[in-house]
Each structure stands twice: as structure tokens, then as C-alpha cells.
């Protein structure tokens, strides 16, 4: 009777015979039925609230629509226009530059933080730092806008004030087209580091200590150990985090929107800001949709490429 | 296409969008019942609750429901209005500032008021006698009137009198000039408790950005002309008002002229202020903080209208340390202004909506509106602009005199595509004020993009 | 487990003495380096937040100082009181809680089930479906907002209700992806053992796998809570009635007063609105970290 109390209640056999778990086929059928049932809530929700609107948005990419008048089919005109539109090309290249800077800093800092805090894993100190680093993630866009625009102001900002104390000239953080992409990326790193860090913390906590210790005994220490042992062991997490961060940051919107509205000029204008302004300021919903479609295809390609590449560097135990 | 069918077209257009996603599931909103009417009014309940409660006594069968459409800027509000139009659940009475007046009128969404005004002219005689024709003219579009002005703000100049005194100067007079302004900007720089004040600061937008300098330099961003056809109103309500002479049926902006000589000169003027250190760096995300720095004695002069009165009170700025003056003379002293008012959406409830809007112009009603209590904006009614409304502002009279004594004052350019226009204007301005491109080159590029904009909207 | 058992051996005279060193003490150069890095990032992270808090405790007239003052001189709570005058703060916080908690519970359910399917249950077309789910992350939300609003209001008639904020947020591609990765890392041997014991597939999910992905669910809960709590654009478009606004819109209303009011009031509202999220995180973190210590994330 003891087995009844554990996992053996399947023996009660309340399942119909074609689902019985005592044949390989029955198990396969069980999995299929369960799989479909489990997916249903997500699928129904996605179809209604996500795929539905996406299909409409994609369809709009082939139309001209300003909300006031019925949509008008224009075939590929929107796409032809966007490939000649400098502003669109410029916003895509800004997006890539800022994405690369931001993801680069995010992954390096987040891994370093996760490895560092792991050294003090169970202490109150670690608890304190984990809370502190996560705080910016908890702030809303408005607060970040207020705070960071203030910090980075050329004449009134804190950053330049302290640089001035160190004898460094004022840096035009948000008004120089050379510097602004870096400033916005820094702000984004500030706000998102906690998010990426949490993901890495999970990965680092799960590192098999036996292997690490064995490596140390074998003489792998310091950077060598990090490079040859720790990072490869962490690679599945790195894949997940970079895929998610790249997807999120190719859709960069909040920070540049609130800090610069894409300026000065167009130097920090991102692809999604282009979508937003085209739709809601210029009332060209069709054209905006066509830009989203192109952005979507690019993100899809980049993600696919990351997975493809991951076969070469991601190490599964 | 007449106006009524235009609304049906919008419904149909939204229906098309829904139909693409889920064919056959579209249901348009049913018509409101006739005996009890609900009017959806675009207003913040904090400001309008008292008005709405009072109306319940006036028209018991009409329920006014406030719909909060708030946004930090005009584009945010427009986004929301568009979404509600697309979903077929718009308001019955909307609010539009000058930026959106022509958009709603031009798209055939707003009800023209001409017939109703001429039908019962006596009802509004008192209202118009209390409202400057300068304000009324901005609410015309192609000969018809779409709104009755509620409030307005022109860009005047606010001065921190503590800094003015520290510099050994007096408040400037009404006729001060751009050169006087430059002297003030210089003199008010480097003062204050930490000795780090800036003489002047401004933020980059259409209203109150560097557009006021364009206006006083006798120019405009777009060429401006008067449309004919407003005589019906001027002859009926403003027969005796000299300020109504020569007015027409609304403004039109036929073509861009961003890079004309006067505009280049105006931009060079503001760029020099930043370059020479009399004005701080102009940054978008920081705009809301500047007024706070004015209150904290870090900025000597700042553009603002009557609305700034309430802010400075809230900010706790000491009475007697600030005052306002006209914008300085250059080629003219023509101010730029924006007017806010309710508009009526075509869609079946026009009669009830008109009754409300007409009632709402009454002075006793306007006195109930929350934002006039703390003076977060300037009332369109002259009789409401009193010393009590603008406490601690010695020159409070200039707010209404901007339209009464300077009747050439006019609206910011706001064609149907004003949101995109604003974006182009501010984007290029940034490049010039960050000293990365000369004013001439910047405005040449701005002009090219504005020409594209016009071509696309032709 | 060198990291966790922080016992250190030191030679004193002829004998080895085992001394207990506090677990937060750095013991070698690498530890010191890590500590310095953690402190540096911690300072950079927290300075702006300290500025927000201290400014919210200053009178409007004292809010604007260069250099900034990091500590408020005399605590001024007037800004906090004013928030309650300007917006229906309590209502709006209640709305935010209702919307956020419903969304978190809903997302945990849908994502756990779907993530399990994509990791452990096979049926034809499953992997293609996974890519479809992942692809939904890649289209800019801003482009689908108007069609979504049309569907919400015309098909479901839910515009201006809290449900319009909850329902569309229940399916989560990110959460599905995250939990799939967690399920994938659990060794299949557990499952095989359970099957030997005669458990059916649902029991295997319920009793073997579900307890083991608790850390993943904790992470999803924290991130979902935070994302929904701070959601701004969706309610901006969907909601009209002030008393049904979530607090993000309330703060937006307040911010309008920055042009005609004071930044310290806005910051006071931000502090009050952020506090619940911080508390959720501080309490949630215990479970989160405990969970993370047991198992981690692998691809």
C-alpha cells in the first residue's frame, strides 16, 4: 500500500484503455493529449490577443490607413518607400549600434555580478546587493525618465557635476550626436542590469561544483578557469539571456523615447520609435506596420542565427 | 462626402480592421436612447466634476460622463483619441488645443457651429463681447467656427525679479526690445546663491520654443494667410470691436518657409544664447524641470503664459520675486498663442452636446472649472482675468493685453498634420542648438523635409 | 562547496586552528576584487534612487539644487499628502494590485503548462508551434496596439475595464520560453523512476516536474509582476475612467502637474507606487534565491 501514497496512484486505472500507461503507445498518446491540453490556454490567448492583432498589423503593412478613412490596398508601396527612406535606414542602424553596446555591457556586467555575488552566496551582504541591483528594474518608465534626464543634463546634471569635481569638462551626454547613443545605452544598462543578472544568477547557482573543484585541482585557476570551465558550463544560460536581451533591445523604445525623443536630430531614433511616430504622430498606420514587419523579419533572422550559432558554442551537460 | 457619412466611414474603417482579424464578429455601437442621453465629455473629472454636477440640475435627462484623456503632450492625447475613434467609442464632446483644431475639423469629425450660432445669436452675445476676436479667429476653419474658446496661453516672458534686482536692473517695460533682452540675458547670468544662474532658458517645442522669436521677427515657420468667409460672425457679434476689423474665416498655411532670412536670424539668435553660455543646454527629457529651476533662482527669464502663475505658487516661489512681461520687440511684438476649447463630434448627439457647450461658455460655469481656480491656464473671458486670478504678478494685465493690446498676435501654425510638423521642427532645432550644424544648414534641411510633408499631404 | 562553508584554516604555531570567518568577509584577492565590483555597481545603481527618495521629501522650492543633496534636510511629507489630493491614489493602487496579481497568477498557469509541453511532451508540429510562440515576441507591441484595442472593444466589449488589461496579458511567450528552459534542465531519470512506479503523465508533471521548476516560476512571477505593475502604454490607450486607472496612469496625470506644479509631488507618488513592488521583490527574493540554490537554468 505504501506505493499508493507515493507515485503509484496511476494503478487505479481511471484512464480509458487507449491512454493506459502500460504500453509505449499509450504513453505516447498520454503525452500528446496532455501536450495539447496544456498548450490550449496559451494558444487560445495568443491567437485572440497576439496573433490576431499581428495578422492585422501585417495586413496593414500592405495598406494605407490613417484611422479616419477606410484602409486602402497599396500592395508593396509601403515597402518600396521604406527601403528608400533614409530615416528608416538610419533608425535601424541606430537600433543595432545601441543594441550591441547595451547587450555587450549587460551580459558582461551581469555575468560578473552573478559570479561575484556567488562568492558570498548565503550572506546577508549578498541578499542586500541582490535587492539593490534589482531596484531599477522595479521603477516605471516615468520615474526613469525623470531621474535619468536629470542626471545626464549637460548643465544641471549630477554626472557632469561630479566630472567637474574631477576636473573633467562638461560632456554633452544627450545633445551630442556622437555621445547620445552611448548615454542612452548606459541608461538602459542601468535600468535592465537587474533583469539580466537574475537570469544569470540562476545559471551560476546551478554550476556543478564538483567539476569546478576538479578543475581547480587540475591547475585551472583565475581567468583560465573562467574561460575554459565556468563560461562553457554557463553557456546555456548565456544563450537564453542573450536571445531574450537581443529581442528586447532590438525593440528599444522606452529609454530613448523618454530621454531624447530620438534626438539630437535623429541620432538616437530607434526602429520602434520610428514605428510609433509614424503611426501615432504621422497617422500613417499602414506605413508603420510595414516598418514593423521588416523589423520583425530582422529580429527573427537574428534569433535564428543565434540558435544556429549556438550549436557551436553552447555546451550541454 | 458630407460630414455625417464621414463618421460612418470611420466606423466602417475600424470595422474593416476588426474584420481582418475576426470576420463576422463586428457589432457597431447601438444608437443612444432618445429620452435619457449620456454625453461623453473629454475632461479630467478633477477639473470638471463641479461643472458636471451643476449641469445635472440644468438638464436632468442628460448625463455627462467625463472621459479622462490626459497626456503629457499633444501627441499622447491624439493617440488616445485616434484609438477611441478606431474602436468606434469616441467622445461626444472633445477638447482640442490649437494644434488639433484643424485636424478634427479638416477630417470632418467636428461639427461646424455657424448655423446654430446664427440661429440663436442672442444666447452668445454676452460671451463674445467678453472674448477677444484674436482668440475666436483661431477656432475657424475654412469659414466655419468649430470651437468656442475656453482658455489660452500666449508666450510671454517671465522674469525672476530677485535676480533682476541682484543685477541692479528694473523690470523691463512693455516696449522692451530684443537688444534689451540680450542685455538682461547677459546680466542675469552667473548670479544667484551659487553664482551659476542662466539668463534665459527655453525648451524645445512648437509652442513657446523658439517660435516666439520667429513671430517677433515678423515671420512664421509656414507662410500664413487668412481664409475669407467669417463675416457672418464678425458682423453679428463683433460689429463694434475695432480689433475684429480685417479678420477672416480662419488661418491657412499654404507652404513651408523654414529657411527664410528672418527665421535663420531668429535661430542664430537663440543658438548664440546657448553658445555664449547665457542659456543652458536645450534637452527634451528635461523640459519639465526648467520651470522648477526658474523657481529656484537658477534661471533669469523663461517663456510662459498665464498658466505659470499656478505653477509658481505650487512651487512655493516667494511672492514678489517674479513677474511677467510681453515678449520683447524685434520687427514686431506679435505673440504666438494656443487656444483650448471644446468641440462637438458629429455622431447623433449634436443637439444635446451643443446645449452643453453653449451653457458651458457662461461665466458662472467657467468659474467652476478646477484649473481656473489655481490658474493653471488663462481664461478666454476677459472679465475673468483679474488681479485675484493672478496673485503676486504685478503685470497680470499683460496676459489678456497680449490679445487686446497686441491684436496682431496669432496662433502657432497648426495645419491638419501639425503633430508631424512639430516633430520635424523640434528635431532639426535640436541639431542647431547642440551647435552641430549652422542655423542656415539646419533650416535648409528642415525646409526640405517640410516640403516632403506638404507633398505627401497634398 | 568551498564557497558556502566558509571555514578557514590558519597555521598558528605548530597546530592548525580552524577559525570561523564571517561569510561576508573576502578571503583572497579575487574575493576583494569581486567585493569592489559589487560595491561599485551597487553605488551606481542606488544613487539615482536615493536622489528620487530624498527629493520626494523636500519642499518644491528646495527640489532643484546643483550639486544634488543626497539626504533631505528636514523631512517634508507634504508632497506625499498632496498626492492623495490630486489623484484617487488608493483606488488606483487597488486597481494595479488586482490587474497585476491576476496577470501573475494567469501567466504562471499558462506558461508552466505550455513550457512543460514544449520541453517534455511531444506531438507532431510542436517545434514549429514553439517558433510561432517565440516569434510573437519579435513584433513591436506598438504596431499591434490599435488592432488589439479594436478587438478588445468591438469583439469583447471590454474597453475601459480592468479585464481589458488582464486578458491580453495572460498568454506569455517570454514565460513559456523561460519555463521550457527550466523543464529541460531536469534530468530525465526522475521521470523514468516515476514511470517505473506506474505514474501517468499528468502525475509525472504534477509531482515530479512542477516542484522542481519553482525557481523558474518565482523568476517569472517577479518579472511579470514588475512588467504589469509598470505597464503604461496599454492602459493609456484602453482606459478612460480615472477611478479605474492603474497607478501608472495616475502618475502620468500627476506629471502633468510638473509643468504647473512640482517634481517632488510626482516623485512622492513614484516612491509610494514603487514600494509594493519592492516589498514583493524583497519577500519573493527569499524563495527565488532558495530555489536558485537548488537548481539553475540550463538550455
Amino acid at each position: 500500500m505504501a506505493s499508493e501514497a507515493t507515485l503509484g496512484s496511476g494503478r487505479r486505472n481511471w484512464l480509458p484503455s487507449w491512454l493506459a500507461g502500460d504500453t509505449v503507445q499509450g504513453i505516447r498518446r498520454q503525452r500528446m493529449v496532455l501536450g495539447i491540453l496544456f498548450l490550449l490556454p496559451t494558444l487560445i490567448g495568443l491567437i485572440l490577443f497576439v496573433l490576431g492583432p499581428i495578422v492585422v498589423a501585417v495586413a496593414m503593412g500592405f495598406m494605407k490607413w490613417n484611422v479616419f478613412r477606410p484602409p486602402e490596398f497599396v500592395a508593396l508601396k509601403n515597402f518600396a518607400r521604406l527601403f528608400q527612406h533614409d530615416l528608416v535606414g538610419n533608425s535601424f542602424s541606430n537600433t543595432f549600434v545601441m543594441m550591441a553596446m547595451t547587450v555587450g555591457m549587460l551580459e558582461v556586467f551581469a555575468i560578473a555580478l552573478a559570479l561575484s555575488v556567488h562568492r558570498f552566496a548565503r550572506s546577508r551582504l549578498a541578499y542586500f546587493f541582490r535587492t539593490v541591483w534589482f531596484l531599477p528594474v522595479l521603477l516605471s518608465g516615468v520615474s526613469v525618465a525623470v531621474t535619468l534626464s536629470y542626471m545626464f543634463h549637460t548643465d544641471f546634471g549630477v554626472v557632469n557635476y561630479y566630472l567637474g569635481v574631477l576636473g573633467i569638462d562638461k560632456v554633452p551626454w544627450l545633445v551630442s550626436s556622437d555621445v547620445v547613443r552611448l548615454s542612452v545605452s548606459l541608461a538602459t544598462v542601468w535600468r535592465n542590469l537587474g533583469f539580466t543578472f537574475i537570469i544569470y544568477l540562476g545559471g551560476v547557482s546551478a554550476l556543478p561544483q564538483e567539476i569546478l573543484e576538479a578543475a581547480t585541482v587540475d591547475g585551472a585557476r583565475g581567468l583560465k578557469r573562467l574561460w575554459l570551465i565556468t563560461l562553457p558550463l554557463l553557456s546555456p544560460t548565456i544563450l537564453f539571456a542573450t536571445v531574450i536581451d537581443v529581442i528586447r533591445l532590438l525593440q528599444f523604445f522606452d529609454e530613448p523615447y523618454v530621454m531624447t525623443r530620438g534626438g539630437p536630430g535623429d541620432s538616437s531614433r530607434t526602429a520602434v520609435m520610428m514605428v510609433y511616430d509614424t503611426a501615432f504622430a504621422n497617422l500613417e498606420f499602414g506605413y508603420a506596420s510595414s516598418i514593423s514587419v521588416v523589423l520583425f523579419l530582422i529580429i527573427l533572422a537574428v534569433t535564428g542565427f543565434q540558435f544556429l550559432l549556438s550549436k557551436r558554442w553552447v555546451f550541454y551537460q | 462626402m458630407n460630414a455625417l457619412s464621414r463618421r460612418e466611414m470611420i466606423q466602417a474603417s475600424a470595422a474593416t480592421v476588426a474584420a481582418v482579424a475576426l470576420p463576422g464578429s463586428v457589432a457597431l455601437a447601438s444608437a443612444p436612447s432618445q429620452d435619457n442621453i449620456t454625453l461623453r465629455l473629454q475632461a479630467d473629472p478633477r477639473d470638471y466634476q463641479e461643472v458636471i454636477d451643476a449641469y445635472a440640475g440644468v438638464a436632468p435627462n442628460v448625463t455627462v460622463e467625463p472621459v479622462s484623456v490626459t497626456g503629457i503632450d499633444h501627441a499622447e492625447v491624439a493617440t488616445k483619441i485616434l484609438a477611441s475613434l478606431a474602436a468606434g467609442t469616441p467622445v461626444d464632446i472633445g477638447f482640442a488645443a490649437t494644434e488639433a483644431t484643424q485636424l478634427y475639423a479638416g477630417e470632418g469629425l467636428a461639427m461646424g457651429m455657424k448655423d446654430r450660432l446664427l440661429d440663436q445669436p442672442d444666447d452668445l452675445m454676452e460671451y463674445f463681447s467678453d472674448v477677444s476676436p484674436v482668440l475666436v479667429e483661431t477656432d475657424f476653419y475654412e469659414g466655419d467656427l468649430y470651437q468656442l474658446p475656453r482658455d489660452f496661453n500666449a508666450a510671454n516672458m517671465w522674469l525672476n525679479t530677485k535676480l533682476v534686482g541682484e543685477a541692479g536692473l528694473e523690470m523691463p517695460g512693455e516696449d522692451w526690445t530684443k537688444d534689451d533682452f540680450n542685455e538682461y540675458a547677459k546680466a542675469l547670468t552667473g548670479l544667484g546663491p551659487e553664482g551659476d544662474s542662466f539668463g534665459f532658458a527655453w525648451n524645445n517645442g512648437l509652442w513657446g520654443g523658439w517660435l516666439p522669436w520667429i513671430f517677433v521677427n515678423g515671420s512664421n515657420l509656414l507662410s500664413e494667410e487668412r481664409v475669407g468667409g467669417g463675416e457672418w460672425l464678425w458682423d453679428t457679434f463683433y460689429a463694434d470691436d475695432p480689433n475684429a476689423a480685417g479678420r477672416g474665416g480662419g488661418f491657412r498655411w499654404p507652404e513651408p518657409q523654414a529657411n527664410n532670412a528672418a527665421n535663420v536670424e531668429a535661430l542664430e539668435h537663440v543658438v548664440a544664447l546657448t553658445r555664449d553660455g547665457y542659456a543652458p543646454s536645450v534637452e527634451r527629457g528635461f523640459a519639465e524641470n526648467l520651470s522648477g529651476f526658474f523657481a529656484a533662482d537658477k534661471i533669469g527669464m523663461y517663456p510662459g503664459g498665464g498658466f505659470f502663475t499656478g505653477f509658481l505658487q505650487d512651487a512655493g516661489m516667494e511672492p514678489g520675486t517674479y513677474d511677467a512681461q510681453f515678449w520683447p520687440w524685434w520687427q514686431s511684438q506679435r505673440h504666438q498663442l494656443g487656444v483650448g476649447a471644446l468641440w462637438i463630434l458629429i455622431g447623433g448627439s449634436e443637439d444635446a452636446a451643443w446645449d452643453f457647450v453653449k451653457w458651458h461658455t457662461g461665466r458662472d460655469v467657467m468659474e467652476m472649472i478646477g484649473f481656473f481656480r489655481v490658474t493653471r491656464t488663462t481664461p478666454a473671458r476677459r472679465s475673468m482675468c483679474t488681479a485675484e486670478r493672478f496673485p503676486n504678478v504685478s503685470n497680470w494685465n499683460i496676459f489678456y493685453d497680449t490679445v487686446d493690446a497686441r491684436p496682431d498676435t496669432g496662433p502657432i501654425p497648426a495645419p491638419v498634420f501639425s503633430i508631424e510638423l512639430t516633430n520635424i521642427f523640434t528635431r532639426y532645432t535640436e541639431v542647431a542648438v547642440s551647435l552641430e550644424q549652422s542655423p542656415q544648414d539646419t533650416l535648409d534641411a528642415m525646409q526640405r523635409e517640410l516640403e516632403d510633408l506638404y507633398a505627401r499631404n497634398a | 562547496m568551498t564557497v558556502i562553508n566558509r571555514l578557514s584554516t590558519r597555521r598558528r604555531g605548530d597546530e592548525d586552528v580552524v577559525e570561523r570567518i564571517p561569510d561576508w568577509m573576502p578571503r583572497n584577492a579575487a574575493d576583494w576584487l569581486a567585493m569592489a565590483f559589487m560595491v561599485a555597481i551597487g553605488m551606481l545603481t542606488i544613487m539615482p534612487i536615493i536622489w528620487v527618495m530624498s527629493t520626494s521629501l523636500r519642499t518644491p522650492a528646495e527640489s532643484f539644487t546643483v550639486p544634488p543633496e543626497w539626504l533631505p534636510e528636514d523631512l517634508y511629507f507634504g508632497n506625499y499628502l498632496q498626492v492623495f489630493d490630486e489623484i484617487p491614489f488608493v483606488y488606483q493602487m487597488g486597481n494595479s494590485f488586482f490587474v497585476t496579481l491576476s496577470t501573475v497568477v494567469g501567466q504562471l498557469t499558462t506558461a508552466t503548462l505550455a513550457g512543460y509541453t514544449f520541453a517534455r511532451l511531444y506531438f507532431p508540429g510542436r517545434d514549429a508551434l514553439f517558433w510561432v510562440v517565440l516569434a510573437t515576441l519579435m513584433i513591436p507591441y506598438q504596431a499591434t496596439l490599435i488592432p488589439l484595442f479594436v478587438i478588445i472593444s468591438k469583439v469583447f466589449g471590454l474597453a475601459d475595464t480592468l479585464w481589458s488589461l488582464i486578458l491580453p496579458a495572460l498568454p506569455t511567450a517570454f514565460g513559456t520560453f523561460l519555463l521550457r528552459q527550466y523543464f529541460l534542465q531536469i534530468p530525465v531519470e526522475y521521470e523514468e523512476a516515476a514511470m517505473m512506479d506506474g505514474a501517468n503523465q499528468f502525475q509525472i508533471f504534477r509531482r515530479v516536474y512542477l516542484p522542481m521548476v519553482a525557481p523558474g516560476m518565482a523568476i517569472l512571477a517577479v518579472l511579470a509582476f514588475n512588467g504589469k505593475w509598470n505597464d503604461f502604454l496599454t492602459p493609456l490607450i484602453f482606459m478612460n475612467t480615472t477611478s479605474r486607472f492603474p497607478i501608472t496612469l495616475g502618475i502620468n496625470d500627476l506629471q502633468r502637474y510638473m509643468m504647473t506644479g512640482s517634481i517632488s509631488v510626482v516623485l512622492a507618488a513614484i516612491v509610494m507606487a514603487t514600494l509594493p513592488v519592492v516589498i514583493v521583490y524583497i519577500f519573493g527574493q527569499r524563495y527565488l534565491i532558495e530555489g536558485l540554490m537548488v537548481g539553475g537554468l540550463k538550455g
Side-chain angles (χ1 to χ4, degrees), chain B residues 64-97:
Chain B
V64 179
E65 188 185 293
V67 177
S68 195
V69 186
T70 51
I72 298 301
D73 56 25
H74 174 54
E76 233 172 51
V77 174
T79 301
K80 189 146 181 186
I81 291 289
L82 290 175
S84 69
L85 283 168
T89 55
V91 292
D92 299 296
I93 303 171
F95 165 79

Side-chain angles (χ1 to χ4, degrees), chain B residues 11 14-15 17-18 21-22 25-29 40 44-47 65-72 76 79-80 82-89 194 196 288-293 295-296 298 307-308 310-311 314-317 376, chain C residues 51 59-67 69 82 85-88 145-151 153-156 159-160 232-233 235-243 245 249-263:
Chain B
Q11 294 264 343
V17 175
L22 287 155
S25 52
V26 176
L28 295 181
R40 290 160 55 77
D44 189 327
R46 283 177 298 176
D47 291 324
E65 188 185 293
V67 177
S68 195
V69 186
T70 51
I72 298 301
E76 233 172 51
T79 301
K80 189 146 181 186
L82 290 175
S84 69
L85 283 168
T89 55
E194 275 102 32
D196 57 358
E288 287 86 3
N289 295 324
L290 283 179
S291 35
F293 277 91
K298 301 242 175 226
F307 71 87
F308 211 40
F311 169 84
D314 284 355
M317 198 170 175
R376 296 191 196 281
Chain C
W51 176 78
T59 60
E62 290 168 348
S63 326
F64 298 93
T65 48
V66 184
E69 292 183 23
Q82 205 187 331
D85 290 342
E86 303 286 359
I87 56 173
L145 199 55
I146 293 276
L148 175 63
F149 183 56
V150 171
I151 290 172
S153 42
K154 287 184 111 80
V155 179
F156 292 95
D160 200 23
F232 171 69
L233 196 56
L236 177 74
I237 304 280
F238 287 15
M239 306 302 289
N240 290 322
T241 309
T242 314
S243 60
F245 280 2
L249 285 191
I251 292 177
N252 193 49
D253 273 359
L254 264 184
Q255 206 198 2
R256 201 183 51 160
Y257 283 77
M258 273 173 68
M259 280 166 278
T260 53
S262 152
I263 188 179

Side-chain angles (χ1 to χ4, degrees), chain B residues 374-444:
Chain B
V374 279
T375 321
R376 296 191 196 281
T377 180
T378 316
R381 274 177 169 272
R382 188 181 292 113
S383 63
M384 287 170 71
C385 291
T386 58
E388 292 74 46
R389 176 100 42 212
F390 303 102
N392 310 323
V393 185
S394 318
N395 288 337
W396 60 271
N397 60 301
I398 64 137
F399 299 126
Y400 214 89
D401 276 351
T402 303
V403 287
D404 270 355
R406 300 288 184 273
D408 60 342
T409 288
I412 52 174
V416 173
F417 40 83
S418 69
I419 309 176
E420 193 171 5
L421 171 83
T422 305
N423 282 349
I424 294 172
F425 179 71
T426 50
R427 257 169 52 214
Y428 282 100
T429 300
E430 276 168 3
V431 180
V433 295
S434 62
L435 313 178
E436 295 198 336
Q437 204 174 38
S438 75
Q440 181 73 55
D441 291 348
T442 305
L443 292 178
D444 286 345

Side-chain angles (χ1 to χ4, degrees), chain A residues 95-111 185 188-189 193 196 200 238 241-250 252 306:
Chain A
T95 307
F96 266 93
V97 169
M98 292 198 274
M99 182 276 282
M101 282 198 277
T102 311
V103 172
M105 289 188 273
L106 270 181
E107 309 308 314
V108 171
F109 286 147
I111 293 175
S185 302
T188 312
V189 171
L193 187 57
T196 307
Y200 280 112
I238 300 178
T242 43
V243 165
I244 285 292
D245 281 340
V246 166
I247 291 178
R248 275 162 14 109
L249 290 166
L250 283 176
F252 220 10
Q306 280 178 282

Side-chain angles (χ1 to χ4, degrees), chain C residues 189-210:
Chain C
E189 289 81 26
Y190 288 101
E191 178 178 344
E192 282 159 4
M195 271 167 65
M196 298 293 282
D197 219 13
N200 67 36
Q201 291 294 313
F202 180 76
Q203 289 162 332
I204 289 173
F205 163 72
R206 173 73 189 77
R207 298 189 191 163
V208 177
Y209 280 103
L210 201 55

Side-chain angles (χ1 to χ4, degrees), chain B residues 180-405:
Chain B
D180 298 334
F181 165 86
N182 281 342
E183 294 305 314
Y184 273 81
K186 222 174 280 181
L188 300 181
T189 298
L191 304 178
E194 275 102 32
D196 57 358
S197 69
F198 286 92
F200 176 66
W202 57 287
N203 80 61
N204 185 13
L206 187 62
W207 187 98
W210 63 284
L211 196 65
W213 296 111
I214 295 183
F215 268 54
V216 292
N217 205 22
S219 179
N220 199 335
L221 182 64
L222 313 172
S223 68
E224 177 190 295
E225 66 183 34
R226 282 200 158 91
V227 183
E231 302 80 9
W232 62 268
L233 184 132
W234 306 122
D235 295 348
T236 313
F237 299 103
Y238 288 96
D240 307 325
D241 190 336
N243 276 348
R247 301 208 179 264
F251 288 94
R252 210 187 258 161
W253 297 274
E255 54 194 23
Q257 51 176 34
N259 57 349
N260 73 17
N263 293 350
V264 174
E265 197 182 6
L267 186 54
E268 278 166 352
H269 167 62
V270 291
V271 166
L273 289 169
T274 298
R275 190 192 52 218
D276 300 340
Y278 304 135
S281 165
V282 183
E283 304 186 7
R284 285 297 275 286
F286 196 75
E288 287 86 3
N289 295 324
L290 283 179
S291 35
F293 277 91
F294 177 87
D297 304 331
K298 301 242 175 226
I299 289 170
M301 295 182 284
Y302 189 69
F307 71 87
F308 211 40
T309 310
F311 169 84
L312 292 176
Q313 264 175 292
D314 284 355
M317 198 170 175
E318 217 177 303
T321 61
Y322 52 91
D323 205 353
Q325 189 46 280
F326 284 143
W327 202 265
W329 275 91
W330 198 344
Q331 301 302 317
S332 78
Q333 207 169 19
R334 183 184 197 221
H335 285 61
Q336 53 112 72
L337 98 149
V339 177
L342 301 180
W343 60 282
I344 295 170
L345 196 89
I346 294 168
S349 303
E350 288 98 321
D351 290 340
W354 171 248
D355 288 341
F356 176 83
V357 168
K358 204 169 66 173
W359 172 79
H360 167 270
T361 60
R363 181 172 167 177
D364 48 338
V365 179
M366 288 217 178
E367 290 283 4
M368 294 177 210
I369 303 174
F371 49 63
F372 287 141
R373 296 257 163 87
V374 279
T375 321
R376 296 191 196 281
T377 180
T378 316
R381 274 177 169 272
R382 188 181 292 113
S383 63
M384 287 170 71
C385 291
T386 58
E388 292 74 46
R389 176 100 42 212
F390 303 102
N392 310 323
V393 185
S394 318
N395 288 337
W396 60 271
N397 60 301
I398 64 137
F399 299 126
Y400 214 89
D401 276 351
T402 303
V403 287
D404 270 355

Side-chain angles (χ1 to χ4, degrees), chain B residues 47-64:
Chain B
D47 291 324
Y48 262 79
Q49 199 55 54
E50 200 174 323
V51 175
I52 288 167
D53 293 345
Y55 198 61
V58 176
N61 66 324
V62 179
T63 312
V64 179

Side-chain angles (χ1 to χ4, degrees), chain A residues 61-124:
Chain A
F62 300 90
M63 295 185 206
K64 190 178 166 179
W65 186 48
N66 79 341
V67 175
F68 297 117
R69 285 159 237 233
E72 178 192 329
F73 184 72
V74 294
L76 292 173
K77 255 192 198 159
N78 289 332
F79 293 92
R81 179 174 158 206
L82 81 89
F83 282 110
Q84 292 162 2
H85 196 170
D86 291 345
L87 210 52
V88 173
N90 175 51
S91 71
F92 276 85
S93 82
N94 284 339
T95 307
F96 266 93
V97 169
M98 292 198 274
M99 182 276 282
M101 282 198 277
T102 311
V103 172
M105 289 188 273
L106 270 181
E107 309 308 314
V108 171
F109 286 147
I111 293 175
L113 281 183
L115 290 173
S116 300
V117 81
H118 192 62
R119 292 173 166 271
F120 308 92
R122 286 201 185 274
S123 66
R124 281 183 190 283

